[in-house]
Amino acid sequence: MSVGEEVILVVDFGSQYAHLIARRVRELKVYTEIVFPEITVPEIEKISPKGIILSGGPRSVYEKDSPLLSDEVFDFILKKEIPVLGICYGHQLIAFKMGGIVKGEKRKEYGIATVDILDSEGIFKDLDKKETVWMSHGDQVFEIPPGFIVTSKTETSPIAAFRNTSKKIYGLQWHPEVVHTKNGKKILSNFVYNVCSCQGTWNLANFIEETMKEIKSKIGNGRAIIALSGGVDSSVAAAITEKAIGNRLYAVFVDHGLLRKGETEIVSKAFSGHDINFKKIDAKKRFFEKLDCVSDPEKKRMIIGEEFIRIFEEEAKKIGADFLVQGTIYPDVIESGRSQHADTIKSHHNVGGLPESISFKEIIEPLRDLYKDEVREVGRKLGLPDKIINQYPFPGPGLAVRITGPVTEENIRICREASAIVEEELENASIENIWQAFAVTLEDKVVGVVGDQRKFGRIVGLRVVESQDAMTANFKKLPWNLLENISTRITNEIPEVVSVAYFISHKPPQTIEPC
Ligand code: XMP
């Protein structure tokens, strides 16, 4: 998308940190786009980046089938003198491509290290002679390519960084994007501002303006329909589209019977004073019939995604809408496996589950380049109420992916009631910095004792996590007495439940949603 002239490309070689690089640079007010090593010269020409960052990655550059940039792309970058910063695998790739030597080391280096900085130019401007950095690598550069100089070393890595100033190429063995690298942000800022000469024009006010223009030019005088779920993403997508095309936007709120407690009322109220055409559809029966006896989470996602789209198609026909607006955000796109180098983790229904035959002229995803915190910021700027902006993210397939068994009245009711208790208790205890908090209805049963009677009852799992952007998450270390209150309320107020468990796994390895 066009968001201004300045773009830094981040080439993702399969690194778990590629997103962090992109986010850090955006924090410096420069727009970033993550692309994959298969990128072609015309694609780069079209974007016309101010600089390129080559990410780390799990492979070795000299292995067969490792992701590499093509020779044409590499030559083009050199010819055009586009500044390059290689990080870890990216650093080794530069050495490998330009005539240096890269080898595997028996002893891998992970964790915090101290490096000697031998340079005060380019990316190392204003750094100390010794810096604390984060290392995570197996391979090393053993010989620099012709025309390069070594700019940093450690006891175990004699070539921990290098540069070729005339070509504006820099390589770093360590990771500046990780918070453990004390001056990592300074290094990235030096690259973006000193080396790439960016001006720092990326901000969300520009984003709103640019996105509105884009929406207007795509939709013209047509009508659009949006799948309003009440979550942050679709609400912000609705608000920005409404600002662009006013009451030619029709917001369809589908109640699939898998919503949180009180959600319908909150959403109806939030959009009641707007220009938007708001329509609520009660489709619970339809969804429950389709989901009957389905336990497999990917099947649930596909069925729900497909049914959603069918309903929208029906509504769009009635309304005469040609365009479908969706609240897809950047992590949804990446995690749905659109990259060849990342595994499909879950098919988020608003992307991966899209049916093939679709009768809209175009699908518009105004937020597809934004991270969640950026989406919230846009929502605030557009004047949406805090109740919508600050709510926990809620997945499109709703409570269906928070029950490990089939979608039944009982499973959904337990999940809904228990989640409401979790939210209430966390709010009463004023616990902050929570990304998501909800209950999970588990399929297994355990023996309980109620009064004097044995009861073979249900288990509810609690998932409360902290996160920056849902790419990784940590379980929240809640006070015991709070967990006890939640557990007591759930077992007292929901008759089927005799046991409450707490998920104490981070992401990875566990994902945030249980299914
Ligand atoms: P996971 O479970 O993959 O979730 O760690 C990461 C974030 O994405 C949300 N999520 C979804 N959102 N449709 C959505 O719109 C989906 O199918 C879906 N699955 C997960 C999840 O709530 C978390 O914030």
Side-chain angles (χ1 to χ4, degrees):
M1 74 177 296
S2 135
V3 285
E5 346 47 271
E6 291 186 348
V7 181
I8 295 284
L9 282 189
V10 177
V11 184
D12 179 5
F13 291 99
S15 166
Q16 50 175 329
Y17 298 137
H19 268 282
L20 265 186
I21 302 171
R23 289 180 52 79
R24 294 279 174 266
V25 176
R26 285 195 194 186
E27 282 162 19
L28 295 167
K29 300 197 183 317
V30 177
Y31 183 70
T32 46
E33 219 170 286
I34 296 182
V35 295
F36 300 103
E38 295 73 17
I39 190 160
T40 60
V41 170
E43 283 165 346
I44 298 182
E45 270 180 316
K46 193 166 166 218
I47 299 169
S48 183
K50 298 281 283 182
I52 298 182
I53 300 180
L54 309 178
S55 84
R59 307 287 298 270
S60 294
V61 286
Y62 45 80
E63 271 172 26
K64 200 171 158 267
D65 300 331
S66 289
L68 302 173
L69 287 174
S70 70
D71 289 342
E72 297 80 68
V73 165
F74 222 87
D75 292 345
F76 174 80
I77 293 171
L78 294 181
K79 201 172 112 213
K80 292 281 174 192
E81 292 183 359
I82 303 173
V84 177
L85 171 62
I87 296 173
C88 199
Y89 179 93
H91 162 78
Q92 294 148 16
L93 182 68
I94 295 169
F96 182 71
K97 279 271 191 187
M98 298 190 71
I101 295 176
V102 180
K103 282 195 219 160
E105 266 289 271
K106 275 201 200 92
R107 225 188 71 199
K108 303 192 185 312
E109 215 177 354
Y110 291 112
I112 297 202
T114 303
V115 291
D116 292 330
I117 302 290
L118 313 170
D119 197 23
S120 55
E121 296 281 303
I123 62 170
F124 289 160
K125 191 167 173 276
D126 298 332
L127 252 63
D128 291 336
K129 291 272 171 269
K130 289 208 180 283
E131 286 284 343
T132 304
V133 304
W134 176 260
M135 292 273 190
S136 169
H137 65 107
D139 293 347
Q140 265 192 37
V141 175
F142 272 77
E143 220 170 86
I144 49 171
F148 280 70
I149 61 165
V150 175
T151 54
S152 149
K153 64 177 171 70
T154 70
E155 270 174 26
T156 46
S157 294
I159 308 176
F162 56 50
R163 74 172 151 95
N164 178 329
T165 316
S166 63
K167 294 193 176 0
K168 295 189 186 159
I169 298 183
Y170 294 79
L172 277 180
Q173 183 58 75
W174 70 83
H175 291 267
E177 70 277 21
V178 172
V179 284
H180 310 290
T181 297
K182 233 178 100 215
N183 273 320
K185 203 157 178 183
K186 175 87 196 140
I187 294 170
L188 290 173
S189 165
N190 279 337
F191 177 68
V192 165
Y193 287 105
N194 298 344
V195 180
C196 304
S197 308
C198 288
Q199 301 295 313
T201 51
W202 159 250
N203 67 55
L204 292 169
N206 288 355
F207 171 86
I208 293 173
E209 285 301 310
E210 291 287 335
T211 305
M212 279 169 54
K213 266 191 232 156
E214 203 176 327
I215 295 172
K216 274 184 196 160
S217 87
K218 277 187 179 162
I219 299 180
N221 288 325
R223 292 174 185 196
I225 187 168
I226 183 163
L228 191 61
S229 73
V232 185
D233 306 342
S234 65
S235 299
V236 175
I240 198 167
T241 310
E242 181 205 347
K243 215 165 148 63
I245 63 164
N247 65 4
R248 283 180 292 114
L249 175 65
Y250 292 75
V252 176
F253 177 62
V254 178
D255 183 353
H256 46 24
L258 306 166
L259 297 171
R260 286 169 288 194
K261 201 170 175 178
E263 189 148 20
T264 313
E265 294 73 31
I266 293 170
V267 177
S268 309
K269 202 168 149 213
F271 283 94
S272 61
H274 282 238
D275 220 4
I276 223 164
N277 288 293
F278 181 83
K279 182 168 182 186
K280 179 181 160 258
I281 295 177
D282 189 348
K284 182 178 161 197
K285 194 161 167 276
R286 203 165 150 170
F287 276 90
F288 272 54
E289 270 169 19
K290 291 264 171 176
L291 289 166
D292 190 29
C293 299
V294 179
S295 292
D296 179 81
E298 282 297 278
K299 271 200 191 132
K300 284 179 188 168
R301 281 193 158 75
M302 293 299 158
I303 292 171
I304 295 170
E306 167 115 24
E307 205 51 26
F308 250 112
I309 295 287
R310 294 295 155 244
I311 292 176
F312 290 133
E313 278 177 342
E314 289 164 21
E315 290 305 312
K317 267 193 204 123
K318 285 183 213 158
I319 291 161
D322 308 309
F323 298 88
L324 173 67
V325 181
Q326 287 202 316
T328 315
I329 68 169
Y330 207 29
D332 302 338
V333 174
I334 300 295
E335 289 215 349
S336 289
R338 285 192 180 176
S339 140
Q340 296 88 323
H341 303 282
D343 274 355
T344 294
I345 298 162
K346 285 176 190 178
S347 304
H348 287 191
H349 88 67
N350 43 2
V351 268
L354 224 51
E356 306 226 319
S357 69
I358 195 149
S359 60
F360 293 103
K361 211 186 243 172
E362 196 176 337
I363 294 179
I364 295 175
E365 296 171 320
L367 311 176
R368 57 171 295 120
D369 295 317
L370 297 191
Y371 290 99
K372 196 75 167 194
D373 51 347
E374 293 172 329
V375 173
R376 287 204 164 103
E377 194 49 41
V378 169
R380 261 178 228 117
K381 286 192 190 305
L382 292 169
L384 283 175
D386 282 353
K387 198 126 193 142
I388 295 267
I389 306 269
N390 296 334
Q391 66 177 309
Y392 303 136
F394 189 60
L399 301 181
V401 290
R402 291 181 176 173
I403 53 173
T404 58
V407 174
T408 61
E409 294 280 354
E410 178 179 303
N411 282 342
I412 293 294
R413 176 174 44 78
I414 291 174
C415 184
R416 180 179 289 132
E417 294 299 325
S419 294
I421 292 171
V422 174
E423 288 203 27
E424 238 174 79
E425 288 299 320
L426 289 174
E427 201 182 320
N428 290 344
S430 305
I431 303 287
E432 290 183 341
N433 296 329
I434 294 175
W435 174 266
Q436 267 170 302
F438 54 85
V440 180
T441 312
L442 298 170
E443 207 40 18
D444 276 344
K445 285 187 167 182
V446 288
V447 175
V449 53
V450 179
D452 288 333
Q453 282 182 338
R454 176 188 190 276
K455 185 167 167 188
F456 198 40
R458 308 296 306 261
I459 312 169
V460 159
L462 306 180
R463 189 79 172 130
V464 184
V465 296
E466 295 175 315
S467 175
Q468 287 289 315
D469 51 22
M471 301 301 289
T472 58
N474 284 355
F475 81 87
K476 183 87 182 170
K477 296 188 177 94
L478 291 175
W480 285 113
N481 59 346
L482 174 60
L483 285 166
E484 188 180 24
N485 283 350
I486 295 174
S487 166
T488 308
R489 274 197 63 192
I490 291 176
T491 47
N492 280 349
E493 294 174 33
I494 308 174
E496 293 88 347
V497 182
V498 295
S499 170
V500 176
Y502 191 41
F503 289 106
I504 52 167
S505 300
H506 302 314
K507 172 184 179 177
Q510 193 182 341
T511 53
I512 296 176
E513 302 293 346
C515 307

